[in-house]
Structure formats: C-alpha cells, structure tokens
Amino acid sequence: MLQSANLHYDKQINDAVLLGSEPNSIQELFRKQPVERLVAGQSLFFEGDAAKHLFEVVEGTLRIFKIISDGRRVITGFLHAGDIVGVSLKDRYLYSAEAITNTKVRRFSRKAFDNEVAGSPQLRPEVFARLCDEMAAAQDQMVLLSCKSAEERICTFLLRELLRAASDGEVDFVIELPMTRLDIADYLGLTIETVSRSITKLTSKGVLAPVGRHSLRVVKRSALVQLSGGDDELARDGWKLAGCERRPRH
Amino acid sequence: MLQSANLHYDKQINDAVLLGSEPNSIQELFRKQPVERLVAGQSLFFEGDAAKHLFEVVEGTLRIFKIISDGRRVITGFLHAGDIVGVSLKDRYLYSAEAITNTKVRRFSRKAFDNEVAGSPQLRPEVFARLCDEMAAAQDQMVLLSCKSAEERICTFLLRELLRAASDGEVDFVIELPMTRLDIADYLGLTIETVSRSITKLTSKGVLAPVGRHSLRVVKRSALVQLSGGDDELARDGWKLAGCERRPRH
DNA sequence: CGCTCACTTGACGTTGCTCAAACCGAGTGG
DNA sequence: CCACTCGGTTTGAGCAACGTCAAGTGAGCG
C-alpha cells in the first residue's frame, strides 16, 4: 500500500541521522526532511499498514479516520500545519490519513524517531506532552459524542476551529472549513443534512454569517459558547460546578 | 480535596526510591507500595486536582468520568485489577475516579514515577505501550459513540468485558458487571432505560442469560459479535473491507 | 452550455429519550 | 417472620431529535 505515485520521495530520507546538532524540539527533527506534496483526496497511509513513518504537516489539512466493517466512516480528527501524526502508534497505523486540501508534509522514520527520542532527555517531555494533548482531545471528543445534541456538537466544533485559528494568529472571526459537510458529519457523528440544517439555523439566528463557500464568520462568539454546552477546551481552569443534578439530554 | 478519610496512607510513600534493584516493569514499581482500600462509592481523586500520584488497581473496579457544566456525567472508562491510572496526565487530572466496588489500589508519586521512567530504558517502552493502548481504546470508544446503535453499543461493551474476563483466565462465558446500569449508560452514551431494554431484548433472543444480580452469561458469543457491528478490538488483524459504500446508520 | 458535485431544503419515519409506574432484592426494624 | 423502605431496575406509552429519502439549488469546470 501507499504507492506514493506522485510523492517526491525517493532519496535516503529514512536514515536521517542529524550528526552534531542535538535537536531539542520535535519540529527541529523534521526540519531537515524534504517536503512531500499530497493533492486533495490523496491518501498518506492506511489503517493497518505497518507504521514505518511519522509525519509533520507543513501546510494544508488532513483527515484521519477509520472505516468500520459495514462501510461507515468515522473521522477521529483533522490535522493542520504544525501537527505531528503517528506519535501514539506502535507497529501499525490505527487509522487512515488522507489529504483534504493540497498538503505538504515531512516524513520521519519511526525507528529513527524512536532512537532520537530515546537518546534525548530534551525530546521526551515534548513527545509525552503531545501524547497527553492527544489523549485530552480524544476525551473531549468522547464527551461531545456521548451527550451533546447536534447543535451543541456544531458549536463546539466551530469554537475549536476558531480557537485554533486564533492561536495561529488569525485575528478576525472567520473560520476556514476546508473539509466537506460529509467530513464534518463523520467527525461529529451526524449526517450531512443535520450539519447543514444546524449551520443554517445558526446563521438565521445571527450567530454565524456565511463567507464564501468554505468559510464562516462568527458574529456572536458568546452565543456560540452558550450553545456549545460549554464544558471543555475553552475554560480548562474554572472547576466550579457544585450541584451535580442531571439535566435532560437535549 | 481527596481527604482520604479512611485511607491507610500515612507513611513515607511518596519518596519510595527503590535502592539497588532497577525495576524493569511498571508493576514491579508499584509492588513495594502499601495497599490502600476504598469502599464502594469512594472517590480516589477529582478532575482538576493536581495530579500528584499514579495508581495501580490491585483489586476491584473504578469508574473514571467527567462532569460537564450542566451536570451530565460521561464515564470515559472503567479500571480493573492490573490497570494503571494516570499515565497520560500532565499536571492535573483530566477526570475524576471513584470506586465502584470495594477496591484496593497502590499509589506512586508522579514525580518519582517520572524519575524512574526517565532513568530506565526498560520502563520507557512499557509506559509508551500503555499510552498507545489507552489511545487505541479511546479511538474505539469514539467509533462506538459516533455511529453505533444502542444494541451495537451494548454488544460491543459486553464483548469487551468478556474478552477482559477471558484474558484474566476466566474460562466460562460469565461476565461480572459490578457497575450499575447508570454507569453503563453514561459510558455508552445511552439512558438506563435503553440499556435495560437492550439487555432484555438480548436475553429474550437467547443471546444472553441472567446470572444473579450482577452477572450475565453469554450464550451465543457469535451472535454478540454479529450484533456488535464488529469492527474493532476483536479482530485487530483482518483488514479486508473492500467495498466502501455507506450503510444506513441503524 | 450543460455536466457534476457539494450543499440545501422538505416530508416522513424510526430510534432512543422522557416521564411515569410497577417491580424486586436487600436491608432494617417491629 | 413479616412489613416496610429504599435503591436499582424493568416495563410501558408518548414524543422529539435526528436519520432517511427525495427533490431542488448553485457553484465550478470542461
């Protein structure tokens, strides 16, 4: 698998040794690797394949997903510039990865990576931190999927994207959504129709405003927070919640 | 928090140094620690508390969960004898932990643990492996919550428990379920009523048989597999699934 | 211009949630 | 030994959110 038809990947990439300079961040490790290009829709690797490489996303967006036996697809995450994919892997990929947009990645041999990390007390905490973040994100997603309504899911998703955009320096309240509605639906455990309807409803409420085909403007951020059933990943601090009476689900 | 009212925990536990013998498994690390007892319902730690300790479950069952702002509870996992809780943590607990049954645990200081691991090339792969397993489990749970019907969730859950029991040496097809229906419901993203109805339906189909109050006998394991929407954690090998046409959700 | 593909909108059906009542085993006290 | 209570659980009836099916819209592109 992974025929890498039009991948710029021929050279001695796997054996990068990085003599001399001890890298003290994961990013640095990848910096010397050549950039490979993926066109929109192209696969990077498949669930079940031997996990020989890690990847750093340089530019663009990927989806990672599982296909279950009856053909249903579950998207477990989206990857953006700066993300590393494959840290939490043993010998096989747990999921498939595909480019949503045209994407640039850097590749690093898993074995070399493990060696680098094993030999560097600098790197280990960073790897560990990334694993923890990944775990925290997975738990947030479980919360979302466990007990949030369609609208709450959409709002949570949009807030995450907004937060990410903000941390990337985007100051205006415009969210880029390179993925299709089907991607969003498969990520949030909904259908395209429900996703579409929820977004329509939010725009008609004046919370969102459409900006071109693949972007949304957040008009009322506070309303979005309100409607997201706010628990996680915004206020990872204020642990107040005294009364624990259960509320109806929806 | 964590007043440890009736915890047998007074001595110099945190500073266990383990002179001389380099431990080469995590279990061994905990072996020297005193056993603490929790009565059913007792809390071990709370979401948001400073994560000062890791715990090994020696005996009994714990639930780990989050409470979201409106009081809804999401159980993200159950812990059984042999499990370690807290490996995937940074400075704060991401979830609360409570004993379901009377439970025995061993405690280990996070700082000491990190030191041990940092200094031992033996231990690191094991820690890493546990993290990966945790991650894989989280992904399986996301798949379950994303797109499985109530019955599929129940069947998947029961199969997991069966598998666990089997790996613990239990040969007969009896599953112990120390947790309440509410626990199961909050774990599977359902209500108690739906859990109850699903189990009733499965017993009336002859797939299950009730054994006492808190146990179930699996009469037709194959049917259970069939009905689980089988994708994950049974056959982590057979990656065939050619056709990818989507099937209706339920 | 006319295709396709992503998306939107509408009508309808079903799953699973809500509310409510009955059930049952385990304690507890008379 | 029985009555009583009290959780946890089961069962039933009704309903609403969301999925399904189907038709319509609009943008991109050869």
Side-chain angles (χ1 to χ4, degrees):
Chain A
M1 289 200 182
L2 188 56
Q3 292 302 351
S4 62
N6 41 7
L7 251 52
H8 304 184
Y9 166 51
D10 345 315
K11 311 271 163 44
Q12 68 299 359
I13 297 172
N14 297 336
D15 314 307
V17 186
L18 302 173
L19 294 161
S21 66
E22 276 292 318
N24 50 17
S25 90
I26 297 179
Q27 304 280 352
E28 245 173 79
L29 223 54
F30 281 86
R31 195 152 301 152
K32 316 232 168 139
Q33 303 297 91
V35 169
E36 304 174 30
R37 284 163 212 276
L38 298 167
V39 299
Q42 190 176 356
S43 290
L44 184 59
F45 55 78
F46 295 92
E47 178 179 356
D49 280 2
K52 292 208 196 306
H53 298 96
L54 295 146
F55 300 88
E56 180 204 12
V57 181
V58 176
E59 190 185 307
T61 309
L62 298 168
R63 58 182 161 243
I64 61 179
F65 61 93
K66 287 163 167 269
I67 304 280
I68 72 179
S69 52
D70 51 31
R72 285 176 289 187
R73 182 181 70 162
V74 181
I75 293 186
T76 54
F78 297 110
L79 296 168
H80 308 274
D83 291 340
I84 310 280
V85 51
V87 183
S88 67
L89 295 175
K90 299 209 275 196
D91 49 342
R92 311 221 148 243
Y93 293 114
L94 292 174
Y95 38 72
S96 305
E98 277 176 12
I100 290 178
T101 60
N102 291 346
T103 300
K104 296 178 188 172
V105 299
R106 291 201 182 95
R107 179 188 299 254
F108 205 93
S109 142
R110 162 124 226 115
K111 199 184 294 184
F113 182 82
D114 288 345
N115 285 340
E116 289 286 342
V117 172
S120 160
Q122 299 265 38
L123 248 39
R124 284 201 297 265
E126 195 186 339
V127 169
F128 182 71
R130 280 188 186 261
L131 278 169
C132 291
D133 289 343
E134 215 177 310
M135 203 58 224
Q139 298 218 357
D140 287 338
Q141 191 67 359
M142 280 166 56
V143 168
L144 182 146
L145 295 169
S146 267
C147 64
K148 286 194 176 180
S149 71
E151 194 173 71
E152 288 175 326
R153 294 182 198 200
I154 296 287
C155 290
T156 306
F157 171 66
L158 292 177
L159 280 172
R160 284 184 200 166
E161 291 297 308
L162 186 61
L163 203 66
R164 209 183 46 74
S167 74
D168 285 4
E170 305 289 331
V171 281
D172 52 357
F173 282 20
V174 174
I175 311 172
E176 298 286 328
L177 296 175
M179 66 290 288
T180 68
R181 297 293 137 112
L182 184 56
D183 288 331
I184 298 175
D186 285 350
Y187 180 55
L188 299 179
L190 300 169
T191 58
I192 32 176
E193 293 93 335
T194 302
V195 170
S196 183
R197 271 187 260 269
S198 299
I199 292 180
T200 304
K201 199 167 143 204
L202 287 170
T203 65
S204 71
K205 276 192 207 171
V207 178
L208 302 175
V211 176
R213 193 75 175 160
H214 273 260
S215 296
L216 283 173
R217 179 159 176 61
V218 176
V219 180
K220 288 196 267 183
R221 193 189 130 98
S222 59
L224 215 52
V225 174
Q226 207 75 29
L227 293 169
S228 71
D231 53 309
D232 48 11
E233 74 233 71
L234 292 183
R236 269 230 194 289
D237 311 289
W239 320 95
K240 274 290 106 71
L241 48 100
C244 283
E245 54 280 323
R246 289 163 70 82
R247 191 188 83 165
R249 300 249 161 178
H250 301 298
Chain B
M1 292 198 180
L2 190 52
Q3 292 302 352
S4 60
N6 41 7
L7 250 54
H8 304 183
Y9 168 51
D10 345 315
K11 312 272 161 46
Q12 68 298 1
I13 298 170
N14 296 336
D15 315 305
V17 184
L18 302 173
L19 294 160
S21 67
E22 276 293 317
N24 51 16
S25 91
I26 296 180
Q27 303 280 352
E28 243 172 82
L29 224 53
F30 281 85
R31 196 153 299 153
K32 315 231 169 144
Q33 302 299 89
V35 169
E36 303 175 29
R37 285 163 210 277
L38 300 168
V39 299
Q42 191 176 357
S43 290
L44 184 59
F45 54 78
F46 294 92
E47 178 179 357
D49 281 0
K52 293 209 195 304
H53 298 96
L54 295 144
F55 299 89
E56 181 204 13
V57 181
V58 176
E59 190 185 308
T61 309
L62 298 168
R63 59 183 160 242
I64 60 179
F65 62 93
K66 288 164 168 267
I67 305 279
I68 71 177
S69 52
D70 50 33
R72 286 176 288 187
R73 183 182 71 162
V74 181
I75 292 185
T76 54
F78 297 109
L79 295 168
H80 307 274
D83 292 340
I84 310 279
V85 49
V87 184
S88 68
L89 295 175
K90 299 209 273 195
D91 49 342
R92 311 221 146 243
Y93 293 113
L94 292 174
Y95 38 73
S96 306
E98 276 177 10
I100 290 178
T101 60
N102 291 345
T103 300
K104 297 177 186 169
V105 300
R106 289 200 183 96
R107 178 189 297 256
F108 206 92
S109 140
R110 163 124 225 117
K111 200 185 292 183
F113 182 82
D114 287 347
N115 285 340
E116 288 286 342
V117 172
S120 161
Q122 299 265 38
L123 248 39
R124 283 201 298 266
E126 195 187 339
V127 170
F128 182 71
R130 280 187 185 260
L131 278 169
C132 292
D133 288 344
E134 213 177 313
M135 202 61 223
Q139 298 217 357
D140 287 339
Q141 191 67 357
M142 280 167 57
V143 167
L144 181 145
L145 295 169
S146 266
C147 65
K148 285 194 175 181
S149 71
E151 194 172 71
E152 288 175 325
R153 293 180 198 201
I154 296 287
C155 291
T156 306
F157 171 65
L158 293 176
L159 280 172
R160 283 184 200 165
E161 291 297 308
L162 186 61
L163 203 66
R164 209 182 47 74
S167 74
D168 285 3
E170 306 289 329
V171 282
D172 52 357
F173 281 22
V174 173
I175 311 173
E176 298 286 328
L177 295 176
M179 65 291 287
T180 69
R181 298 293 137 113
L182 183 56
D183 289 330
I184 299 175
D186 285 350
Y187 180 55
L188 298 179
L190 301 171
T191 57
I192 34 176
E193 293 95 333
T194 303
V195 171
S196 183
R197 271 187 260 269
S198 299
I199 292 179
T200 305
K201 199 166 142 203
L202 287 169
T203 65
S204 72
K205 275 193 206 169
V207 179
L208 301 175
V211 176
R213 193 73 176 161
H214 275 261
S215 296
L216 283 173
R217 179 159 174 62
V218 177
V219 180
K220 289 196 268 184
R221 193 189 130 99
S222 59
L224 215 51
V225 174
Q226 208 75 30
L227 292 169
S228 73
D231 52 311
D232 47 12
E233 74 233 70
L234 294 182
R236 271 231 192 289
D237 312 289
W239 321 94
K240 274 290 104 72
L241 47 100
C244 283
E245 54 281 324
R246 287 164 71 82
R247 189 188 85 161
R249 299 249 161 174
H250 303 296

